[in-house]
Amino acid sequence: MSVERINLQLKKVREQIAQLQAKEKDLAEQKQMAEDAETMKIIKKYKISSERLQILNRLSEDEVRQLLQKREQEKEGSTNEKEEVIR
C-alpha cells in the first residue's frame, strides 16, 4: 500500500471513530433521560413530596459517608494489625 492510501484509510477510520463517539454520547444522554423518566414515574406513583425526596437524598448521602468512614477505619485497623504482626 502506498502512503497516500494508508493516510486516506486512517482519515476514514478517524471519521468513523468521531461518529461513533458522538453516537455514544447521544445514547448516554438518552439513557440518562430514560432513567430520569423512570424515577419520575416512581415519584409520582408513590406521591413522594419534594421535601421527602430531599430528606431521602440527605439520608443516602449520610449513609454513603458512614460506609466510607467505616471502610477507612477497617483499612486502618488491618494496617495496624499487619504492623503488629511484623514487629
Side-chain angles (χ1 to χ4, degrees):
M1 279 192 174
S2 69
V3 174
E4 290 176 17
R5 218 167 166 198
I6 293 172
N7 285 335
L8 182 63
Q9 286 185 345
L10 279 172
K11 182 180 175 184
K12 287 181 183 179
V13 168
R14 289 182 181 128
E15 289 172 359
Q16 289 174 341
I17 290 171
Q19 290 172 349
L20 289 173
Q21 286 174 334
K23 185 175 181 178
E24 177 188 25
K25 182 180 177 182
D26 183 51
L27 288 172
E29 290 173 1
Q30 288 180 23
K31 179 183 175 188
Q32 184 62 50
M33 289 172 51
E35 289 174 347
D36 291 347
E38 286 179 16
T39 302
M40 289 304 296
K41 284 180 186 177
I42 292 170
I43 290 169
K44 287 181 180 180
K45 180 179 178 180
Y46 293 104
K47 299 177 183 173
I48 301 173
S49 68
S50 62
E51 292 84 16
R52 186 160 183 199
L53 280 174
Q54 290 173 350
I55 291 170
L56 289 171
N57 191 30
R58 274 191 236 122
L59 288 175
S60 296
E61 290 174 1
D62 290 342
E63 289 173 354
V64 169
R65 271 192 223 102
Q66 288 175 355
L67 286 172
L68 290 173
Q69 287 175 350
K70 185 177 178 182
R71 282 186 185 170
E72 189 65 32
Q73 289 172 351
E74 289 173 354
K75 284 182 183 178
E76 289 175 5
S78 66
T79 303
N80 290 340
E81 290 174 6
K82 288 178 184 177
E83 289 176 0
E84 289 178 14
V85 169
I86 293 173
R87 292 178 189 175

